[in-house]
Amino acid sequence: MKILITGICGFVGSQIARRIKAVRDDVQLIGLDNFLRAGSELNRRDAEQLCDTFLHADMRCGDDWDSVPEADWVIDCAALPSVLAGTEGHGSSRQLIGHNLIGTLNLLEYCRRSSAGVILISTSRVYSIRPLAALPLHESTDRYELDASQALPVGISTEGIAESFSTSPPVSLYGATKVASETMALEYGQAFGFPVRVNRCGVLAGAGQFARADQGIFSFWVHSHRAKRPLRYIGCRGTGFQVRDCLHPIDVADLVLKQIDAGSDSDKPLVTNVSGGLESSRSLCQLTRWCDRRFGPHAVAGSDEVRRFDLPWIVLDSSLARSAWHWSPRRTTEMILEEIAEFASRSPDWLEISS
Ligand SMILES: NC(=O)c1ccc[n+]([C@@H]2O[C@H](COP(=O)([O-])OP(=O)(O)OC[C@H]3O[C@@H](n4cnc5c(N)ncnc54)[C@H](O)[C@@H]3O)[C@@H](O)[C@H]2O)c1
């Protein structure tokens, strides 16, 4: 079987590629990347070794697609992945749409030509911001908790945000490129008869992640804390009580392989949330305490700055992925944090290289 991985030199693409080659000997990999992301060059040699064909190619460019050999499946891991991308001070909105949406449209034309199935790595950021910002929450000692004694919007339960939750705008420019990509992929699959699966991932984290304050927050926090860099709690009144779930991309890879093996099985869901769920979730404040124990104390300043699209509680309910795909994550948040911590000790300059 031939599998094309786009964005193969990024954090998720490189982890999925390594995992597939480690557990399957019947797969030939094709990989492409345009090295947009600072640090992705560091994964190039590995990608060249793992792939039968590796291409320095830009998904926005129709000509580049003419050089991509046919594949049976595509795993789409290429994107500008920050929720702030394309907004004031965070790069060009046109480029965001080019990489995240035009790139997907070119990819879908490729799938149509080669009858390849596609798996989109999408995001929790497709979910509607206003109802998420208005969720009833209460404060425990170190985090927000959902207040289930109050009326909850459709698609929210104590397990988290389900696939039925609204994706109405606003979802951020980034979220909009991903919702639009999802819609177009599902339509292309229907119109041209190739299988499509959409995996809406929560926060992904692990060693080797390119991390900044606005993207890759678990890695950014652990690396910064270890190096005793200044850290601030932004939003949520400077408490650090905002909560995110956490998942390792190797667990995503294991799900993706199940989806590829299922082919076009129509009993399986097209769109699934993929996350570590509530048990994996941590607040920034909890993350600081973990780092304090691991590296020694380091003070974090509170800040009253309010940043666009900051949300207090994003936890994906992944029960559909667990029941439909008989999948569950193997790597706990503790394991992921320890993996990042060990990597940070070996790579003290990682944030400079990758931010
Ligand atoms: N990291 C997370 O927490 C997270 C969470 C949910 C979803 N996702 C999604 O997972 C996917 C991968 O994210 P990541 O964290 O690995 O990001 P990343 O920035 O580490 O990797 C993305 C890769 O895509 C490449 N790329 C970007 N535009 C391209 C283009 N036009 N043509 C070719 N290559 C291009 C970049 O050079 C980079 O190597 C993205 O679709 C993102 O939206 C990530």
Side-chain angles (χ1 to χ4, degrees):
M1 180 185 303
K2 291 186 180 168
I3 299 178
L4 165 63
I5 301 180
T6 66
I8 195 167
C9 296
F11 170 55
V12 177
S14 61
Q15 294 272 345
I16 290 180
R18 286 184 198 117
R19 180 65 172 174
I20 289 177
K21 287 306 268 188
V23 297
R24 292 288 168 98
D25 50 19
D26 60 338
V27 170
Q28 290 178 29
L29 282 186
I30 304 162
L32 68 81
D33 205 292
N34 69 348
F35 302 106
L36 176 74
R37 182 72 193 248
S40 54
E41 270 288 350
L42 297 169
N43 286 324
R44 182 180 187 137
R45 184 177 299 186
D46 219 21
E48 284 172 346
Q49 282 171 358
L50 291 171
C51 291
D52 290 82
T53 307
F54 173 80
L55 296 153
H56 181 173
D58 192 320
M59 290 174 62
R60 295 172 299 177
C61 175
D63 287 357
D64 283 7
W65 282 101
D66 289 343
S67 317
V68 183
E70 289 203 344
D72 302 296
W73 280 90
V74 182
I75 307 168
D76 182 25
C77 304
L80 277 173
S82 165
V83 73
L84 294 175
T87 62
E88 209 60 50
H90 296 274
S92 141
S93 50
R94 182 187 286 273
Q95 286 179 14
L96 169 75
I97 292 161
H99 292 294
N100 290 14
L101 181 55
I102 306 298
T104 310
L105 296 177
N106 286 333
L107 162 70
L108 294 172
E109 284 294 329
Y110 164 88
C111 290
R112 176 189 178 180
R113 282 197 305 278
S114 51
S115 302
V118 62
I119 292 173
L120 285 193
I121 305 298
S122 191
T123 169
S124 56
R125 285 302 191 155
V126 298
Y127 292 118
S128 192
I129 286 176
R130 284 200 187 115
L132 283 180
L135 285 181
L137 301 172
H138 62 82
E139 294 182 6
S140 68
T141 50
D142 54 9
R143 59 182 277 159
Y144 287 125
E145 307 281 2
L146 190 69
D147 184 354
S149 68
Q150 297 194 42
L152 299 176
V154 172
I156 298 282
S157 74
T158 46
E159 296 301 308
I161 305 162
E163 292 81 356
S164 55
F165 192 73
S166 169
T167 56
S168 297
V171 292
S172 76
L173 288 174
Y174 166 65
T177 61
K178 299 298 262 188
V179 184
S181 292
E182 289 186 3
T183 305
M184 291 309 294
L186 293 167
E187 292 295 343
Y188 263 66
Q190 278 294 313
F192 303 115
F194 59 80
V196 176
R197 307 286 176 200
V198 173
N199 292 328
R200 293 177 174 164
C201 297
V203 173
L204 300 172
Q209 180 168 29
F210 312 128
R212 300 189 307 250
D214 63 317
Q215 200 268 323
I217 185 65
F218 283 76
S219 296
F220 173 80
W221 209 261
V222 173
H223 278 274
S224 301
H225 191 293
R226 195 205 68 86
K228 304 283 183 263
R229 286 171 161 229
L231 280 168
R232 287 187 309 149
Y233 296 130
I234 298 173
C236 302
R237 306 187 333 275
T239 56
F241 284 5
Q242 55 267 61
V243 170
R244 297 291 182 269
D245 51 20
C246 181
L247 182 68
H248 198 287
I250 288 182
D251 279 317
V252 181
D254 289 344
L255 173 65
V256 163
L257 283 169
K258 283 174 181 273
Q259 293 171 324
I260 287 176
D261 289 343
S264 50
D265 183 344
S266 55
D267 290 341
K268 300 290 188 191
L270 300 177
V271 178
T272 35
N273 285 343
V274 180
S275 87
L278 192 63
E279 69 188 55
S280 76
S281 70
R282 300 287 185 277
S283 68
L284 279 183
C285 188
Q286 290 176 309
L287 195 49
T288 302
R289 288 188 183 166
W290 186 92
C291 291
D292 285 346
R293 287 194 297 277
R294 180 67 171 74
F295 305 121
H298 176 51
V300 177
S303 158
D304 52 13
E305 183 185 335
V306 176
R307 218 171 34 182
R308 294 185 81 182
F309 312 129
D310 269 347
L311 288 170
W313 192 87
I314 306 183
V315 177
L316 288 187
D317 175 359
S318 60
S319 42
L320 180 63
R322 290 165 197 250
S323 60
W325 294 104
H326 308 296
W327 166 89
S328 57
R330 299 244 169 101
R331 289 148 194 84
T332 63
T333 302
E334 292 291 315
M335 291 160 73
I336 294 170
L337 295 178
E338 185 54 36
E339 182 188 287
I340 301 169
E342 282 173 18
F343 179 79
S345 304
R346 293 196 307 276
S347 316
D349 301 328
W350 186 248
L351 288 184
E352 284 76 15
I353 293 166
S354 71
S355 63

